[in-house]
């Protein structure tokens, strides 16, 4: 039986006095790839930020690996093995690629840092010839590769990704999602917010559809993809 790693019940939160989430119920099993989808402004990104201590928590239960983490700071959650890759401002533009990766591995020995950089470059070989280049000079796809690689430098067991393919070319979108899927195959649990519903759900175990700050549908990812009514109403695509 799969081990439940994240359990959220009745979560409400937002930004200061502005409430965005209205009673979110959600769970993720260890080793799963779970995608949250839905229209713009429905609370997808806010949910991840509330969970990771970056937005206002109001009420509800949040358990991670059996522990109540509602009051935990971001640094404590990170120490627990959770990594977060935001949609924007996810690299240090004034640092080069190597320095960005090193920032994700503070406190480790030089030998271990180099080992993890090598692992990152094996995953995203496009970064290898750019190690000395400023992150500001990278393409959008390369920046996203760097952001994910830096998050992985902490060797997380659970990774949260907010719109990792936003504004990328179709080629980079596929490369990014393929590598995220490989993370799951290597034992990392994935929770992703994604606008490209078809691309992400095709690799997911389960999906959640948000609307108006609530979960309006959840189920097997393939079944969500194959349901023409759900696709047309919530995701903006017609069944082919």
């Amino acid at each position: 039986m799969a081990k439940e790693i994240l359990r959220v019940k009745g979560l409400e939160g937002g930004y200061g006095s502005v409430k965005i989430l209205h009673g979110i119920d959600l769970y993720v099993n260890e080793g799963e790839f779970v995608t949250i989808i839905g229209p713009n402004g429905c609370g997808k990104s806010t949910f991840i930020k509330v969970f990771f201590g970056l937005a206002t928590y109001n009420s509800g239960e949040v358990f991670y690996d059996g522990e109540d983490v509602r009051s935990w700071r971001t640094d404590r959650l990170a120490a627990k093995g959770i990594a977060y890759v935001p949609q924007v401002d996810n690299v240090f533009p004034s640092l080069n690629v190597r320095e960005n990766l090193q920032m994700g591995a503070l406190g480790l020995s030089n030998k271990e840092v180099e080992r993890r950089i090598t692992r990152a470059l094996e995953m995203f070989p496009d970064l290898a010839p750019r190690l000395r280049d400023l992150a500001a000079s990278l393409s959008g796809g390369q920046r996203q590769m760097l952001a994910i690689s830096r998050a992985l430098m902490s060797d997380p067991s659970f990774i949260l990704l907010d719109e990792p393919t936003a504004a990328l070319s179709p080629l980079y979108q596929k490369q990014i999602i393929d590598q995220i899927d490989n993370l799951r195959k290597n034992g990392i649990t994935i929770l992703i917010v994604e606008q490209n519903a078809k691309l992400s759900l095709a690799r997911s175990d389960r999906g959640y559809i948000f609307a108006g700050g609530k979960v309006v549908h959840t189920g097997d990812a393939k079944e969500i993809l194959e349901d023409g009514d759900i696709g047309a109403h919530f995701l903006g695509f017609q069944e082919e």
Side-chain angles (χ1 to χ4, degrees), residues 4-218:
E4 188 176 275
I5 195 71
L6 174 65
R7 166 65 66 174
V8 176
K9 185 175 181 180
L11 182 64
E12 301 196 356
Y15 303 97
S17 62
V18 179
K19 187 179 291 186
I20 304 295
L21 306 178
H22 304 281
I24 298 294
D25 293 341
L26 179 150
Y27 76 92
V28 179
N29 289 326
E30 190 172 44
E32 275 194 311
F33 186 140
V34 176
T35 296
I36 301 173
I37 53 181
N40 290 333
C42 67
K44 305 184 302 292
S45 297
T46 302
F47 169 77
I48 285 185
K49 291 176 182 176
V50 171
F51 168 45
F52 202 58
L54 298 173
T56 304
Y57 163 85
N58 293 132
S59 61
E61 299 178 0
V62 184
F63 284 87
Y64 179 76
D65 199 17
E67 293 188 77
D68 185 347
V69 299
R70 286 176 294 181
S71 61
W72 284 26
R73 297 192 314 268
T74 296
D75 58 341
R76 189 177 177 191
L77 291 169
K80 185 71 173 175
I82 305 171
Y84 167 62
V85 181
Q87 179 182 352
V88 296
D89 298 327
N90 52 19
V91 299
F92 297 104
S94 62
L95 301 181
N96 67 31
V97 170
R98 176 180 288 279
E99 289 166 339
N100 266 272
L101 293 173
Q102 290 170 335
M103 289 294 289
L106 295 176
L108 298 178
S109 68
N110 290 337
K111 182 178 180 180
E112 182 61 19
V113 170
E114 290 306 311
R115 187 187 73 81
R116 295 188 187 190
I117 289 176
T118 298
R119 182 180 63 181
L121 298 180
E122 289 172 351
M123 178 176 295
F124 294 116
D126 283 14
L127 297 178
R130 307 297 303 272
L131 279 176
R132 295 173 181 261
D133 296 340
L134 293 181
S137 70
L138 301 180
S139 69
Q142 290 168 340
R143 284 195 186 200
Q144 196 60 253
M145 292 175 180
L146 178 57
I148 294 171
S149 296
R150 195 184 70 214
L152 293 174
M153 292 292 286
S154 65
D155 205 21
S157 55
F158 189 107
I159 188 165
L160 311 165
L161 299 113
D162 188 2
E163 304 281 9
T165 72
L168 301 186
S169 69
L171 176 61
Y172 270 132
Q173 287 182 352
K174 184 178 184 305
Q175 288 181 359
I176 293 293
I177 291 295
D178 283 348
Q179 289 301 340
I180 292 170
D181 194 24
N182 284 335
L183 297 179
R184 184 268 301 270
K185 293 174 182 176
N186 288 320
I188 298 178
T189 304
I190 306 293
L191 179 60
I192 180 174
V193 166
E194 183 53 64
Q195 282 286 359
N196 193 326
K198 288 184 176 181
L199 188 64
S200 189
L201 285 172
R203 292 158 176 80
S204 298
D205 298 296
R206 293 183 301 109
Y208 285 86
I209 301 177
F210 281 23
K214 299 179 180 180
V215 174
V216 295
H217 185 81
T218 184

